[in-house]
Every structure is written in structure tokens, then in C-alpha cells.
Amino acid sequence: MSSEKKGKPQQQMFPDTLNLEERAALAINSLTGCVDVKNNYIPYMAVNLIAKPAVMIHSPWDYGSSIGRLVDAFILARQMSGDTSGRDIEEKLQLNLLSLFKNDGLSYRRPSPLNDPNANMHDQRSVLLGLTTWFMATGEPILKTAADKLCAALKRISLKERDYWCFPSTEYTERGWISRDAIFVGTMVDPAHTNARIINPLVKYYELTGNTDAFELAENFTRHTVYYSGAFNPDGSFNKGTEFRKGHFHSRTVSVAGIARFAQFTNNAFYMNWVKKVYDWILSKGTSFGWFPGALVGKGVYHHETCALTDIIEIGIILAQSGYPEYWECVERFVRNHLVETQLLRADWVVESDNHKKDTWKETYYQVGRRSIGGFAGWAAPNDFVCEKGHSYDIMTCCRAHGVRGLFLAWSNIVTESVKEKRVYVNLLLNRSTQWLDIRSYLPHEGRVDLDIKQDIQELLFRIPSWIPFSAVEVIQFHNGKKVKKQTESRI
């Protein structure tokens, strides 16, 4: 193993170990590669890599949710890596995102052979996420106008009971709510699949702009989910009934991540304790390295969604920031293992076409493997990128985008600062250059982490993993290249 990366200035050299910025740059290839440039820059949702030849396939999600997720992912990947490739495709996606809105303020799926025009509540979350991240990056007034109108529309159409709000269905049209869900789930609609999933971007948008509609929606959706929805059992477990999508993990985890964000923002100890209870149950259903089932019933028990893992990483970060620092260890373990291991790094095993099989309006066969490099698995097995048991798809655009968000959440929390406490925290032992210090991690190949301090720090807190005995911790301090202090911890 090479000990240092070449071609960088001396002060920016890092060990040849996991670098999340490099993974973000690689992901941009997948973000651009999944876009159908011949069809108005609509993304392909699904990828089947073991088909011969491999194929990308459109789905109804491509006309709403996928666009918002990709807009978010592009911005985060560029913030991490500085890579500007595929900017023309990103701009087309951004225009597409804005084109989805109608005069009532909601985002509607564009009519296609796959779907009727409707405002899908699943999509509203992804669209608001994309708008919020885009507005944070640019401050463009048109984005705030669109997001304000969306929040006002969501408030207007919400079903309002005495002490909670919710959506009575998944799909809304210009004529009002429709009830196709009843065909599949009886008389109920999964609350975690509709209103609860949007809590996170609502909280972030309120934090960013002070939009009171966003806060009211987040507050009332949180109350509905925790007290009335039935999506979570008293012990924190998921309700796996048919009307609750058979305990679909991502629907639950994205909801819990939103409630965690709301609890943290409002300093609500009851909600945070509820989040911890659910999170501990979630951890009991996965592996120590970060594989979790896609659902509790059916073929989903064999499949893992990167979307859910990113949510689980986010919940762990929020809990760690809120008085439970032991969860940093879960976060780092999940990032180092299943998150980065489910990113496609090579495609030499994929059978692909160079225009030998003609594309259709729904499918493309052109260089699917190469275009998918950098993407994250949609339905991974514990030790395989492809889960052949109950196989459907290998990459989904929701996961390729949310995987980038998982990288960003980890990267932005490797080193953090508390201005109030005048402290700098090293939370995750991963490579990162920050304004306070550079952290160079030789893990897992060598038990060594170097800190290059760039400015005076009043108090520096460094997390020692629980599996390291204190007697094995050796601190060596250098100044101007000379050793000035050596200390070995002797506590047990």
C-alpha cells in the first residue's frame, strides 16, 4: 500500500486509505450516466446489471422524485470533490425540477406512458430536498419562491385534525385527493410513505428561511407519526402490516431521520428518546457492518437499500450530537463498510452493448456498466452487490443519489466545531482537510491517525474507539518537525 497520495502539495497529502471526496467525484459519473439525454433529460430509475446486455429502465419515479434527488446529489458531490464534470446535464435537471410545478404550488409528475399527471406526496419530499440544497448553494430567489409556494400548498391540502396533520392519500390531482392506494392497502395510506418522509427537508427549509408553513407542517407531521400513525409499535419496532408497506425500511428510516432532525432543532427530549428507542430496534435488525433488510416481509428481507442506510447514518449522527456519542462508532462502521462497499467501482463483469441493441422509449442498453460506475446498490445482499435471490434491479436512482448524501453526511461530520463551547471535535477517523486541522487516517491498515493543527484550538476532543484499550493509545506531539512530547494513556 502506498503511504501517501501523489501529485498534491505536501500539506494536502493523505494516506492511500478511504477518501470520501474521491468517492463523491466517482459518483458524479453515475449521476450523469443515468440521465436520458434523448428524452428531455429524464433520469432512468432502475438498472439491471446482470441482464445480457445490461439495461437501464424508466419508471414513474423518473418524472418527479428522481429529478429532485439528483439535483440534491449533484450539489453535495461537487461540494465534496470540486469536480465540475457533467455540469450541462446538471443544469438540464435543475430546469426540469422547476418545470414540474403547477400554479397550485405542487410538483406534478410529467405525463408519460408510465403515469398520469399527479402530485405524488413521495415526490414532494425529494423536490423540496432538491430545492433547499440548491437554494443553500446559490441563494437564487426563484428557488425560495418555488419552495415557499410548495410549503403553502402542502399546508393547504393537509388533512387537519385537532392536534395533528396528515395526507389522506399518496396522490393529489388538480381535482383533489384520489384513493388508488385503497386498491393495494385497504382503506389506509402509509403515513411514513407520505407525510412523514418530508419532515427532514421541512425542518431544514425552516432553519434556512424561517418559513412558518414549513415548521407547522414538520411539527404536525411529527406529532401524527409518533402518536397516531400506527407505523411504529410501542417498543420502537416497525408495523409490518400490508397498509404499512410490509415494514419497508426506507419509509420508516427516512421518517425517523426527519423526526430526529425536528427533535434536535426544537430541543425536544421526548421525541429524541423516541428516536433512540426506534434506532436501537433498527440496529438489532441489521448487521454490525451496515446491511439492513429492505422490508420485514416478502422478498425485501433479502435486499438492502442504500437509501435506508443513509437515513440510518443520519439518525446516528443526530443522536451522537444530542448526548449519545456512542453512536459515532456505528456511523463510522457503516460508512467504512457497507456504504462504500455498495458503491460500484468497476464494471468489467457487466455485459454491455455499444449500440448493438436498439434503445426504446423505456430502456437503454448503451454502455450501461460504464455509465453506472460510481452508483450505489439498490438491492444489495450482505456480501454481494447483486442479490440474486428475488432479483429485480441492482441500482436505483433513489439509492445512487441518497448514497451521495450518505457520503456527504459523514464527510461534513468528520470534524465539527462548537462555537459556544469553543471546542473542535474529531468524530470520525477518516481523511479530511478542514479549516481547523487536517486529519490523516491510516486505518484500517495501520493503527495511526495524524492531526495537522492549522490554528489555535482552545479545546480539541478526539474520539477514541471503544475497541481500543487506553493502554494502547500513544500520543506523540510534533512542532516544526521535531518531537516535543510523547504520552501513553494508562487508564483502563
Side-chain angles (χ1 to χ4, degrees):
M1 181 189 74
S2 172
S3 62
E4 302 288 344
K5 295 187 181 295
K6 307 300 182 182
K8 294 185 178 182
Q10 181 67 31
Q11 67 272 20
Q12 295 182 7
M13 294 175 70
F14 288 90
D16 192 12
T17 53
L18 178 60
N19 188 304
L20 300 185
E21 295 167 10
E22 293 177 350
R23 293 304 190 98
L26 185 65
I28 291 176
N29 174 76
S30 175
L31 301 179
T32 57
C34 74
V35 177
D36 187 352
V37 298
K38 297 178 181 179
N39 182 21
N40 199 27
Y41 292 84
I42 296 297
Y44 288 100
M45 172 63 178
V47 183
N48 185 340
L49 291 174
I50 62 173
K52 296 181 180 180
V55 59
M56 289 187 187
I57 307 166
H58 281 304
S59 84
W61 303 110
D62 299 333
Y63 298 85
S65 176
S66 295
I67 297 173
R69 287 176 180 264
L70 287 174
V71 167
D72 172 68
F74 263 115
I75 293 168
L76 300 184
R78 296 198 196 287
Q79 287 184 6
M80 292 178 66
S81 67
D83 192 314
T84 59
S85 59
R87 186 74 182 95
D88 55 332
I89 292 178
E90 180 186 8
E91 289 173 351
K92 294 289 187 181
L93 285 167
Q94 291 173 338
L95 292 174
N96 266 341
L97 181 65
L98 293 176
S99 74
L100 299 175
F101 289 98
K102 290 193 174 183
N103 291 334
D104 65 1
L106 295 171
S107 173
Y108 282 77
R109 290 186 176 180
R110 187 171 297 154
S112 79
L114 295 169
N115 58 262
D116 298 325
N118 68 81
N120 188 286
M121 294 303 104
H122 184 288
D123 295 355
Q124 310 309 309
R125 179 258 178 191
S126 302
V127 167
L128 183 59
L129 179 68
L131 284 176
T132 302
T133 303
W134 189 6
F135 181 65
M136 289 179 66
T138 66
E140 293 279 351
I142 190 174
L143 307 177
K144 184 177 184 301
T145 298
D148 286 344
K149 289 182 177 180
L150 175 57
C151 291
L154 294 174
K155 179 179 177 179
R156 185 180 68 251
I157 68 173
S158 292
L159 176 65
K160 300 176 181 66
E161 298 295 345
R162 183 171 61 182
D163 57 350
Y164 69 85
W165 299 353
C166 65
F167 297 139
S169 181
T170 303
E171 297 174 341
Y172 184 89
T173 73
E174 292 177 289
R175 301 183 305 278
W177 291 106
I178 58 177
S179 56
R180 288 180 183 163
D181 295 327
I183 299 172
F184 304 103
V185 297
T187 59
M188 298 183 67
V189 58
D190 180 358
H193 187 56
T194 52
N195 44 276
R197 67 171 46 248
I198 201 173
I199 294 170
N200 205 328
L202 285 168
V203 174
K204 189 62 184 177
Y205 189 65
Y206 174 74
E207 185 180 1
L208 187 64
T209 67
N211 181 293
T212 55
D213 289 340
F215 184 83
E216 282 188 279
L217 286 160
E219 182 179 40
N220 283 282
F221 290 166
T222 295
R223 191 178 298 119
H224 172 255
T225 305
V226 172
Y227 291 106
Y228 299 102
S229 71
F232 299 88
N233 297 317
D235 63 352
S237 62
F238 299 169
N239 190 326
K240 58 184 179 181
T242 302
E243 70 272 22
F244 296 102
R245 304 189 75 215
K246 302 178 181 179
H248 180 237
F249 250 67
H250 175 44
S251 295
R252 309 290 159 250
T253 55
V254 74
S255 303
V256 177
I259 294 168
R261 182 70 62 194
F262 182 80
Q264 183 184 48
F265 184 75
T266 57
N267 294 311
N268 189 308
F270 175 83
Y271 283 146
M272 193 62 75
N273 285 332
W274 180 90
V275 167
K276 184 181 185 303
K277 177 175 66 175
V278 176
Y279 194 66
D280 288 340
W281 181 87
I282 290 171
L283 295 181
S284 75
K285 293 301 174 183
T287 67
S288 62
F289 55 81
W291 183 93
F292 293 87
L296 296 176
V297 177
K299 69 179 183 180
V301 301
Y302 308 113
H303 300 158
H304 164 97
E305 279 188 270
T306 300
C307 287
L309 180 55
T310 290
D311 302 330
I312 291 166
I313 288 169
E314 181 168 17
I315 300 165
I317 289 171
I318 293 172
L319 284 170
Q321 294 170 336
S322 304
Y324 303 101
E326 62 270 22
Y327 291 112
W328 284 123
E329 202 155 291
C330 294
V331 170
E332 182 167 339
R333 198 165 61 242
F334 297 163
V335 171
R336 281 187 176 276
N337 292 283
H338 209 66
L339 180 64
V340 300
E341 292 299 327
T342 53
Q343 186 177 24
L344 187 65
L345 303 183
R346 59 184 182 83
D348 53 346
W349 54 276
V350 178
V351 177
E352 59 181 7
S353 171
D354 288 321
N355 284 335
H356 297 304
K357 187 167 183 177
K358 189 176 180 180
D359 291 351
T360 69
W361 66 268
K362 187 179 180 181
E363 299 173 339
T364 182
Y365 304 90
Y366 180 67
Q367 297 185 352
V368 169
R370 278 167 278 183
R371 291 162 63 183
S372 298
I373 291 175
F376 290 83
W379 292 112
N383 292 307
D384 294 286
F385 193 92
V386 172
C387 182
E388 295 191 8
K389 191 165 187 176
H391 179 269
S392 53
Y393 304 118
D394 304 308
I395 295 178
M396 296 184 291
T397 290
C398 55
C399 289
R400 85 170 79 229
H402 221 45
V404 173
R405 176 161 278 275
L407 294 177
F408 181 83
L409 288 167
W411 176 79
S412 58
N413 283 281
I414 293 172
V415 181
T416 56
E417 180 188 31
S418 171
V419 176
K420 181 178 180 181
E421 297 174 330
K422 298 180 180 179
R423 289 175 174 172
V424 171
Y425 295 84
V426 177
N427 305 308
L428 305 175
L429 308 187
L430 296 163
N431 293 311
R432 175 80 202 271
S433 178
T434 72
Q435 60 180 309
W436 310 286
L437 55 86
D438 290 348
I439 174 171
R440 300 182 178 88
S441 176
Y442 293 78
L443 301 173
H445 305 285
E446 183 180 348
R448 171 184 168 189
V449 177
D450 294 350
L451 302 181
D452 183 7
I453 310 298
K454 296 180 176 179
Q455 57 177 269
D456 289 339
I457 298 173
Q458 184 162 322
E459 188 173 5
L460 175 63
L461 278 73
F462 183 93
R463 183 181 65 85
I464 304 295
S466 64
W467 44 267
I468 299 178
F470 275 110
S471 59
V473 177
E474 186 176 74
V475 181
I476 304 174
Q477 184 178 346
F478 290 85
H479 184 69
N480 293 330
K482 295 181 179 181
K483 185 188 298 185
V484 296
K485 187 177 181 181
K486 180 176 179 180
Q487 178 180 341
T488 301
E489 294 289 343
S490 58
R491 291 175 292 166
I492 57 172

